[in-house]
């Protein structure tokens, strides 16, 4: 994967976390008309919200991001391992056995049911004339 470049400007190109949207101060806090704090408190609250939201996210990703990414990498490697070495071969065995069962069922049907259906069909065939 040497040609696998990382796009640092668009970090969610598949929209995996689009449900989070762009979280702004006004999306979380709002003062209705008639209930307003002092202007400087509102401005400082806005600044504190943005500062701490960004700072906490950066600290959490710095401390835990690589470890969590490694854990998810292991998790998806385990899933791939199970699919390659266990699930797909089991499905192949199931497919082979079901094919055998299908042949047995078809032979039994052709031996037992088809002659009866042909006999009844021959009986009703004469009513058509």
């Amino acid at each position: 994967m040497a040609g696998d470049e990382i796009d640092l400007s668009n970090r969610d190109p598949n929209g995996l976390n689009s449900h989070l949207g762009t979280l702004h101060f006004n999306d979380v806090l709002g003062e209705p008309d008639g209930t307003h704090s002092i202007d400087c408190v509102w401005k400082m609250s806005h600044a504190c919200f943005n500062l701490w939201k960004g700072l906490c996210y950066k600290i959490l990703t710095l401390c835990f991001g690589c470890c969590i990414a490694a854990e998810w990498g292991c998790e998806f490697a385990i899933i791939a391992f199970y699919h390659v070495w266990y699930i797909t071969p089991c499905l192949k065995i199931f497919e082979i056995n079901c094919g055998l069962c299908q042949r047995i069922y078809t032979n039994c049907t052709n031996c037992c049911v088809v002659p009866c259906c042909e006999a009844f069909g021959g009986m009703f065939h004469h009513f058509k004339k």
Side-chain angles (χ1 to χ4, degrees):
M1 290 191 195
D4 213 9
E5 293 293 323
I6 296 176
D7 184 0
L8 293 176
S9 61
N10 184 10
R11 297 187 184 192
D12 191 8
N14 297 328
L16 297 174
N17 289 304
S18 60
H19 60 281
L20 293 176
T22 305
L23 194 61
H24 295 290
F25 178 75
N26 292 336
D27 295 330
V28 178
L29 297 170
E31 291 183 325
D33 289 338
T35 309
H36 286 189
S37 59
I38 303 169
D39 290 346
C40 66
V41 170
W42 191 249
K43 287 179 184 177
M44 288 301 296
S45 297
H46 181 268
C48 285
F49 176 87
N50 289 323
L51 174 82
W52 283 102
K53 181 183 80 155
L55 186 62
C56 284
Y57 185 78
K58 285 174 179 59
I59 290 171
L60 287 169
T61 56
L62 178 66
C63 293
F64 303 110
C66 292
C67 295
I68 292 172
E71 193 279 327
W72 281 118
C74 290
E75 187 71 33
F76 283 104
I78 290 168
I79 289 170
F81 174 82
Y82 278 129
H83 275 264
V84 169
W85 294 101
Y86 186 72
I87 294 171
T88 302
C90 285
L91 289 174
K92 194 58 161 175
I93 288 172
F94 186 72
E95 182 182 322
I96 291 168
N97 287 330
C98 284
L100 178 64
C101 290
Q102 182 181 14
R103 285 179 55 199
I104 292 170
Y105 177 76
T106 301
N107 286 336
C108 289
T109 302
N110 286 336
C111 290
C112 301
V113 177
V114 170
C116 295
C117 290
E118 286 177 352
F120 281 120
M123 252 180 20
F124 289 112
H125 176 71
H126 296 292
F127 289 125
K128 196 165 87 172
K129 294 181 182 181

